[in-house]
Amino acid sequence: MKKILFVTIIAISWNTFAQTNPAITSWLVNSTGITGRHYVANNSTPINDAVLANVQTVKYNATYSYISATGIPAYITGPFKDGNTSLATAQNKIFRIPLAPVQGTGIVSTTGGNIGVFKNGVALFDYRDGVAYSATATNGICGGPPNNPSCPGGMGTTQAWNRDAIPAEKAGFDCAKAHPAMGNYHHHQNPSAFNLDLTVISNICDAYPSDGLYVINPSEHSPLLGFAYDGFPIYGAYGYTNTNGTGTITRMKSSYQLKTQTTRSGGPNVGQTIGTQTFFNGYFKEDYEYVSHTGDATYLDTHNGRICNTPEYPASLYPNGIYCYFATVDANHNSTYPYVVGPTFYGNITVSTVNSVPSGTTTLATNSFDNTDYKVSIAPNPASEFIAIQTQMTEQDMNVELINELGQIVKTSKILQGSTLCIIDTDTVYNGIYFVKISSRQKSKSYKVIIKK
């Protein structure tokens, strides 16, 4: 009898764990058949692709979750206006994610290529782009584009001065702040659209608008965005002030800062121009240094994370917290080094891609996302230039209306099937109190917003 009772308790515990473990439940599963879309230069009408977007299936056992994904997002990709002729193409990977990641036993540096996966199956890269300083090259750089000489050791990984992709390749990022490498579409940085930053540093969204993965909302804890290759979760830019999941919502800050320097040992001087390339401070990863901020939990550690509780990892289930990375931004919501993960992992690399899912796994039932309670995030509120409305991924189109106090519909938009987000431009809307009405065929709900310019 005791043995039967023990087995029953284990079964109940496992079932509860499986239902709440974010490595199983946090993925954007495509239940509608929505496909990817992309822009090409000089054409603001997106082209539909014959490739399923987001995650296709989630399966799990007692140790791992298995995430099948194409690597194509539901938001529109492209164009990449730095001469990159590649398009986002299907990667068709199965990611094996540990359900219980552990701290690493040594220092493990991030590498070029995939170092994480976002919840829509899109890849995360670190700061680098495979370009490094070369004193003998025409423009002072090697690796990267075909017109650059190759670097000794390959892709600049052994060089003393490695280029930071975020400032160097800004012209080649699409509205969602991403681009492809030989078809492998990926983010290096915080995956929210350029035009939603407080200070907009790229105008790519003007002609080629896209959603990005989430909207930064300074009044809410950022959502879980994905997992690094050591199995630990990745969050957006804002979190609880205190690591135990209490306190006000505040921006998580990088502890890296630019060095005060005019020269670089073995490299070009700050501001020096070689050929057509000027090497400003921040051009290279090695231009940054780590500065400890003891006593302030909102500053992150050397890996760009901290041990804490979050909405998905509450103290009631994770009394000791869990290690979390954050996609760091500055006060203007522009990305800041080391951007997401790095330059080293907190844990050992335990995520891998596999050719097939082992037998004995359970398939996660597709979430209906009927939005019975309309879990909607609206930011900013008060708003001035735009309102971003975000929900869970929907199985049908949802109408969005901006209504004034007289009941008149001022603006309309849609959250498209299989997407999560729409943007209402408020540049031409008068100051005042408005209501955002979200409706589907069955239900509707309204939210009060203030427009104040």
Side-chain angles (χ1 to χ4, degrees):
M1 191 67 167
K2 290 182 179 178
K3 183 176 181 181
I4 294 174
L5 179 61
F6 177 74
V7 171
T8 302
I9 291 172
I10 291 296
I12 293 173
S13 298
W14 160 244
N15 185 52
T16 302
F17 177 71
Q19 290 176 355
T20 60
N21 191 302
I24 298 172
T25 61
S26 297
W27 305 93
L28 284 177
V29 180
N30 185 345
S31 60
T32 68
I34 189 172
T35 60
R37 294 165 293 162
H38 73 275
Y39 293 114
V40 295
N42 303 315
N43 183 358
S44 59
T45 301
I47 297 169
N48 291 319
D49 300 318
V51 179
L52 290 173
N54 296 335
V55 170
Q56 279 64 68
T57 61
V58 176
K59 299 184 178 183
Y60 61 92
N61 56 27
T63 311
Y64 297 101
S65 63
Y66 295 86
I67 314 303
S68 298
T70 59
I72 301 297
Y75 44 85
I76 309 170
T77 65
F80 316 105
K81 302 190 75 175
D82 61 348
N84 184 352
T85 58
S86 180
L87 296 175
T89 56
Q91 303 301 298
N92 298 323
K93 294 183 181 295
I94 302 174
F95 298 95
R96 191 184 72 171
I97 313 287
L99 300 185
V102 296
Q103 182 179 2
T105 55
I107 297 175
V108 180
S109 297
T110 58
T111 62
N114 294 34
I115 65 162
V117 55
F118 288 105
K119 64 182 180 181
N120 58 352
V122 170
L124 166 68
F125 280 25
D126 72 357
Y127 67 87
R128 82 192 71 206
D129 64 355
V131 173
Y133 170 68
S134 170
T136 59
T138 302
N139 288 319
I141 53 176
C142 60
N147 60 321
N148 292 335
S150 60
C151 296
M155 295 299 289
T157 55
T158 61
Q159 304 303 296
W161 298 97
N162 296 281
R163 190 167 77 173
D164 186 330
I166 282 68
E169 296 188 333
K170 183 178 68 175
F173 294 132
D174 62 14
C175 181
K177 299 178 184 169
H179 63 177
M182 295 175 288
N184 184 12
Y185 184 78
H186 60 275
H187 296 273
H188 292 266
Q189 57 184 311
N190 179 58
S192 62
F194 274 117
N195 64 333
L196 301 183
D197 292 349
L198 300 181
T199 297
V200 179
I201 61 173
S202 170
N203 64 0
I204 188 69
C205 301
D206 293 348
Y208 309 100
S210 183
D211 295 337
L213 186 57
Y214 85 115
V215 180
I216 294 178
N217 185 348
S219 356
E220 295 182 358
H221 193 291
S222 293
L224 191 156
L225 300 181
F227 294 85
Y229 266 18
D230 58 1
F232 287 100
I234 297 167
Y235 280 87
Y238 281 76
Y240 299 122
T241 296
N242 304 318
T243 57
N244 64 356
T246 64
T248 58
I249 302 298
T250 189
R251 180 170 56 89
M252 297 292 104
K253 297 177 278 293
S254 168
S255 291
Y256 288 86
Q257 65 183 32
L258 283 173
K259 299 174 183 175
T260 302
Q261 58 181 3
T262 56
T263 61
R264 299 180 177 102
S265 178
N269 293 334
V270 174
Q272 181 179 353
T273 299
I274 301 177
T276 60
Q277 182 58 61
T278 299
F279 296 95
F280 53 85
N281 198 18
Y283 186 91
F284 299 111
K285 171 258 186 184
E286 290 79 13
D287 289 340
Y288 291 90
E289 61 184 352
Y290 175 79
V291 178
S292 177
H293 294 79
T294 304
D296 188 341
T298 66
Y299 279 92
L300 304 175
D301 65 13
T302 57
H303 317 289
N304 214 41
R306 66 178 192 173
I307 296 173
C308 61
N309 290 114
T310 68
E312 291 79 9
Y313 296 92
S316 58
L317 295 176
Y318 298 84
N320 297 319
I322 189 169
Y323 189 85
C324 301
Y325 298 100
F326 289 85
T328 41
V329 300
D330 63 17
N332 295 317
H333 292 174
N334 303 141
S335 303
T336 56
Y337 178 87
Y339 309 111
V340 185
V341 176
T344 56
F345 288 104
Y346 174 78
N348 294 323
I349 297 176
T350 52
V351 174
S352 61
T353 56
V354 296
N355 294 324
S356 61
V357 177
S359 59
T361 57
T362 300
T363 300
L364 181 69
T366 302
N367 293 324
S368 64
F369 292 136
D370 61 3
N371 288 292
T372 300
D373 56 359
Y374 280 95
K375 294 180 180 177
V376 174
S377 173
I378 297 176
N381 190 11
S384 58
E385 297 177 353
F386 67 89
I387 301 172
I389 301 99
Q390 188 166 37
T391 69
Q392 293 175 306
M393 191 172 71
T394 61
E395 289 190 346
Q396 56 188 280
D397 287 356
M398 298 182 69
N399 295 314
V400 180
E401 297 170 330
L402 182 66
I403 302 170
N404 65 19
E405 289 186 286
L406 300 177
Q408 299 167 322
I409 297 174
V410 179
K411 294 265 189 175
T412 62
S413 186
K414 284 182 182 290
I415 301 176
L416 297 177
Q417 180 190 58
S419 187
T420 64
L421 179 68
C422 78
I423 308 296
I424 293 180
D425 185 354
T426 58
D427 273 347
T428 59
V429 177
Y430 293 113
N431 288 347
I433 297 174
Y434 293 80
F435 297 89
V436 172
K437 181 181 178 181
I438 317 289
S439 60
S440 64
R441 289 191 297 266
Q442 298 87 6
K443 311 175 186 72
S444 67
K445 192 167 183 180
S446 297
Y447 300 84
K448 179 180 176 181
V449 296
I450 297 171
I451 296 179
K452 183 178 180 182
K453 301 176 185 178

